Each structure stands twice: as C-alpha cells, then as structure tokens.
Amino acid sequence: KLKVKEMTTFHIQNCIKILEKLLATKPEESVYMGHSDYAEMAVDEENRINDEKAETIVSTIKSFKRELKVRGNK
C-alpha cells in the first residue's frame, strides 16, 4: 500500500480521474417486482453494497483532492 502523502501529484490526479469514471458507471438502483422474498432481499443487498462502494469512492476522491489542495494544486 502507498500512503497518499507518498504519491506524486500526477499519480493522485490520475487516481481521481479513474475513480470519477468508476463512480459514473455505478449501476442504478434495482427494483424487484416479483413475489420472492429471497430475491427481493438479494436485490436490496446488491443496492446496499453498490451504495457503500460509491460512498467509499466519493470519500477517497475527497481525500485525494484535500491532499492536492495542501500541495497547492487544483
């Protein structure tokens, strides 16, 4: 693992671009329209996991941008 403070500015900028592209491809929330409780629970769990991943990505992007700000970059 590499600490953010040890990363080059160029590396951080590229990571932000990659994460923003990944965030843009987040699946839309699924809705189960059938009659199976288990299938509905699986869909709900998948939606929850996708939301958690998106929150982690947003948090990581914010931390990268904070580091760039400390370095005096946009």
Side-chain angles (χ1 to χ4, degrees):
K1 290 187 176 184
L2 187 61
K3 294 179 182 178
V4 176
K5 293 183 185 234
E6 297 172 351
M7 296 170 69
T8 66
T9 298
F10 182 72
H11 189 184
I12 293 172
Q13 291 167 334
N14 281 334
C15 287
I16 290 170
K17 288 177 189 176
I18 290 168
L19 291 172
E20 287 175 338
K21 286 180 184 177
L22 183 61
L23 192 59
T25 63
K26 177 186 178 262
E28 291 187 26
E29 189 168 307
S30 297
V31 177
Y32 179 70
M33 308 261 309
H35 299 290
S36 170
D37 290 338
Y38 295 111
E40 184 176 3
M41 289 183 341
V43 169
D44 289 345
E45 181 67 7
E46 185 176 335
N47 288 334
R48 185 190 64 76
I49 290 169
N50 287 336
D51 289 344
E52 284 180 3
K53 287 179 183 177
E55 288 174 15
T56 300
I57 292 170
V58 168
S59 175
T60 303
I61 290 171
K62 286 180 182 179
S63 70
F64 282 149
K65 287 184 176 182
R66 278 193 302 271
E67 178 62 24
L68 289 178
K69 190 173 183 179
V70 167
R71 294 179 186 197
N73 298 299
K74 294 183 179 179

